[in-house]
Amino acid sequence: MSDIIKLLPDHVANQIAAGEVVQRPASVVKELLENAIDAGASSIKLLVKDAGRTLIQVIDDGKGMSPTDARLSFERHATSKINAADDLFALSTKGFRGEALASIAAVAHVDLKTKPEDEEVGTQIEIEGSTIKNQEVCAAVKGTSIAVKNLFFNIPARRNFLKSDSVELRHVIDEFQRVALAHETIAFTLYHNDSELFNLPKTNKRQRIVGVFGPKTNEKLVPVSEETEIVNIDGFIIKPEFSKKTKGEQFFFVNDRFIKHPYLNHSVSAAFDGLLPDRARASYFIYLKVDPKTIDINIHPTKTEVKFEDEHAIYTLLRAAVKHSLGQFNIAPVLDFNRESNMDTPYAYKNKEAKPPKVEVDRHFNPFEEEQKVTTSGFKSAPSYEKKSAAGWENLYAGLDRKTDTSGFSHVEIEQEPETESLFIEHESKGFSESKETENDSANTYQIHSKYIVSAIKSGMMLIDQNRAHQRILYEEFLRNITVKESVSQQLLFPLRLDFSASEIEILKELKDSLENTGFALSMPEAGVLEVSGIPASIQESEVSIVLEQLLSDVEQEVPNAGFSQTDVLAKSMAKSMAVKTGEKLDERSREHLVNKLFACTEPTLSPFLKKTFITLTVEELDRKFNA
C-alpha cells in the first residue's frame, strides 16, 4: 500500500492558517493595530479604502525593526513576545502566536516600510502571497508603515464571501473602537476613502469613551472602581434610563485586551436587576486588571475569549462593585437613615442663641367699628368691613326640603381610557366593510383587551391582531414609497438635532436616500450630529429618535446578503417601530380602516415577520364549542 500522507507546501499551510486568523478586513485591522501597540507607538494612523478590500494601512511611530527582524516577522511562529512555554502564562503583550503577519502575507499584497530610531535608513519589503518580491533600503521615518492591498486576491472564494462595504466597514470600526478604548494614552486616527472618521488624541478613559461615542455620552456615564487582591475593577456603566435593547455598548477589557465573556456579562446584568426598562440591556465599559498568571488567553485564535482561574470570585466582586456605584451615585433606590441636610442649622447661625419672637398686639382694635380708628399705641387698626345682616341666613337652606331636580342631566359620562386618534386619513375608500352584512348603524368591529379586533363575517367571526396587522399595512406602504419615491412629509418648525456615534452616522448616510423616500428630511451639519427637518406624516415628533434607534439596531443585527435588501430591512424596522402597539385603544373608525387596509394589502394573512395577522372562527366551530 502506498503512502498517502504528505507534508503540505508552505504556501498552502499559510493559507490554511490564514483562514483561522484572517476572516475579513477587520481581522487584519486588529492584528496590525495590536502589533503597533506592542511596538511602543504613541500615535497610530489607520487608513482604509473600500472597507479594506483595496487597502488597509497602519502607520505608527514605534521602535521600528531592523532589516533582519523585518524579514523574519513574516515567517510562521516567529515572534519577539515569548521565548519559552512558561511565558504563555505571563503575557503582557497583544500578539504572541507569530502567525499574524505570515497569515496576512499569504492572502494579500503587503508593502512594509520600517526604521529604528538609531538607524539612518529604513527597510522596505514587498510580498505577494507569501513570496518576497523585493527587499531594499529606503528612506523612512521612525516607526513602521505596513500596507495590506488586495485582500484575498489569490482566494476568490473567500473574497466572494465578504459582505457589502457598509457591513465590512462596520466591523473595521468595531475593531478600531475596541483597540482605541483599551489604550487611551495612545492617539488614534481612522480614515476611510480619504475621509476622517475618528481623531482621538491622548486622554483619559472617560474622554476616550466620549470621543468614540459622542459628546452626549458624558452625561450617561457612572464610574465604577474597586481594588481587591484578586482583581482591580475600573471603568464606567451607562445609566439605566439610557440603556438600549441591543448589546452594542458592552465592553470588557482584561489587562487592556478586549474580551467577550457571557458569565461576566451576566454579573453586570444581575447588578442592574429591576432598574432596566423592559427588554433593555445594560451598557458598560469595564476594565479588569488581574495577574497574568491567573488567566489563559490562548484558547481562541482571535484571543477574544479568556479563561479565569477563579471566575466565581470575579463574578461576585464585579456585581458588588456595579451595585455599589449604582447606589453611591443615586441611580438605584437606597435606604438612608442619616439626618436630612436641610434640617441642619445654617453655618451663619451656628453659635447664635435662639431668641423668642416679639408679638405686638393692638389691644384697642375693634372689628365691629364702622370707621378705622387710630389707637393710643400709635398703630392703625385693621380696616373695618361692612357688617352684613344676619337676617337672611335662612335663605342658605331654602329648597333643601324639596326633591332634587334631575331633569337637568341629559347624560352621564364615565371616565375611561382615552382612545387614540384615528390612524388613517378620512378619505380612504371603503372596501372590506362594505362586503359585510350590516342591518343598522351599530359598530361592525369590536376591540378585546386593547389587543385584538373582532369583526363579523358571513361564515362566522374574525380575530385580528392589531399590532401585526398594522405592521403589514405600514410595511407595504414604506416599500411602495421607497420604490416609487413618493411620500408625504411634514416639515418641523424647529429641526431636531440628534447625536449619534461615528459608526451610526455611517449607517444613516447609507440609508439617507431611502429614509427621505419614506418622508424624512435629513442633513448632517457636523460630525456626530443628525438634523431632522421633516418627518413622515404617520409619525409623531417625539417618536423620531425611537424610530431611528430601532432602525440602527435592526440594521446592525440583520444578517447581510441573506436574501433581504437594505430597503426591506428599513421597511420592516420602521413598520415595527410605528405600528399601533398592544394595549392601545382604538376608536371605531380606526378599527374599520385598519381592517379595510389590511385586506387591501398584497399579503394580508402574514405580518412582515411571517406571523399570522388574523384567525377565523366559523359558526360551525362555535356551535361545536357550545355543544361539546
Side-chain angles (χ1 to χ4, degrees), residues 24-45:
R24 60 193 339 147
S27 306
V28 178
V29 170
K30 176 181 182 295
E31 299 293 345
L32 297 185
L33 290 178
E34 290 182 347
N35 283 345
I37 293 170
D38 288 341
S42 61
S43 177
I44 300 175
K45 184 183 294 185

Side-chain angles (χ1 to χ4, degrees), residues 181-205:
L181 289 172
H183 300 276
E184 70 279 0
T185 58
I186 301 176
F188 288 90
T189 312
L190 170 59
Y191 293 89
H192 179 246
N193 292 342
D194 300 325
S195 176
E196 184 182 275
L197 299 184
F198 290 93
N199 190 346
L200 308 173
K202 301 177 184 178
T203 182
N204 54 38
K205 285 184 172 64

Side-chain angles (χ1 to χ4, degrees), residues 128-172:
E128 293 182 7
S130 297
T131 303
I132 297 178
K133 296 294 185 179
N134 184 32
Q135 179 174 349
E136 60 184 6
V137 175
C138 70
V141 297
K142 171 182 173 289
T144 302
S145 171
I146 180 168
V148 178
K149 307 173 185 177
N150 304 321
L151 189 63
F152 301 130
F153 78 99
N154 53 354
I155 311 179
R158 178 65 66 86
R159 190 177 180 89
N160 291 337
F161 272 97
L162 292 179
K163 309 304 180 185
S164 64
D165 283 359
S166 59
V167 175
E168 295 299 339
L169 178 61
R170 287 206 302 273
H171 286 287
V172 169

Side-chain angles (χ1 to χ4, degrees), residues 231-472:
V231 60
N232 290 341
I233 302 172
D234 190 20
F236 301 89
I237 53 178
I238 300 292
K239 294 178 182 178
E241 60 264 30
F242 298 106
S243 59
K244 298 180 179 179
K245 295 183 179 180
T246 62
K247 54 181 180 180
E249 295 178 4
Q250 294 183 344
F251 294 89
F252 273 121
F253 301 94
V254 175
N255 295 350
D256 294 333
R257 183 192 302 275
F258 173 80
I259 66 164
K260 298 177 182 178
H261 208 289
Y263 187 57
L264 295 185
N265 175 67
H266 184 272
S267 172
V268 178
S269 300
F272 276 87
D273 189 25
L275 298 176
L276 295 173
D278 185 32
R279 290 183 293 179
R281 305 191 184 190
S283 300
Y284 50 81
F285 306 87
I286 303 294
Y287 299 80
L288 306 177
K289 290 287 186 181
V290 298
D291 187 347
K293 297 180 180 179
T294 63
I295 60 172
D296 183 6
I297 60 178
N298 195 27
I299 62 175
H300 193 275
T302 60
K303 302 181 287 295
T304 56
E305 298 179 10
V306 300
K307 184 70 175 176
F308 292 94
E309 190 176 86
D310 193 351
E311 286 187 341
H312 181 70
I314 296 177
Y315 177 99
T316 305
L317 291 170
L318 180 59
R319 184 177 62 178
V322 173
K323 271 187 172 291
H324 177 70
S325 292
L326 290 170
Q328 184 181 9
F329 292 93
N330 296 326
I331 306 300
V334 294
L335 291 176
D336 187 3
F337 294 100
N338 295 332
R339 67 178 184 276
E340 292 287 341
S341 59
N342 58 1
M343 301 296 292
D344 293 341
T345 303
Y347 182 79
Y349 294 89
K350 187 174 181 181
N351 297 322
K352 291 185 178 181
E353 296 181 358
K355 296 180 181 180
K358 293 182 179 180
V359 180
E360 295 181 354
V361 180
D362 182 7
R363 300 183 182 278
H364 300 280
F365 172 66
N366 185 355
F368 298 100
E369 292 182 357
E370 295 183 358
E371 297 180 357
Q372 191 177 11
K373 296 181 179 181
V374 179
T375 62
T376 57
S377 60
F379 293 97
K380 286 186 177 181
S381 63
S384 61
Y385 298 91
E386 183 180 355
K387 191 174 181 180
K388 303 292 183 181
S389 173
W393 65 270
E394 296 92 346
N395 296 331
L396 297 173
Y397 303 96
L400 291 182
D401 56 339
R402 298 193 300 270
K403 294 183 179 180
T404 304
D405 184 13
T406 60
S407 60
F409 295 96
S410 59
H411 66 279
V412 178
E413 293 186 358
I414 302 175
E415 185 177 357
Q416 61 182 1
E417 294 183 7
E419 294 183 345
T420 59
E421 297 180 359
S422 176
L423 297 173
F424 308 97
I425 55 181
E426 295 184 3
H427 57 74
E428 292 291 337
S429 61
K430 292 186 179 182
F432 181 77
S433 61
E434 288 183 343
S435 64
K436 297 178 188 178
E437 294 178 339
T438 56
E439 298 179 357
N440 49 41
D441 294 334
S442 61
N444 296 318
T445 58
Y446 303 91
Q447 194 176 24
I448 299 178
H449 298 300
S450 299
K451 182 177 182 180
Y452 300 108
I453 296 174
V454 181
S455 179
I457 57 178
K458 291 182 179 180
S459 61
M461 62 183 292
M462 179 187 303
L463 283 172
I464 302 173
D465 188 306
Q466 65 186 35
N467 175 254
R468 295 179 183 177
H470 201 201
Q471 283 183 12
R472 165 53 64 177

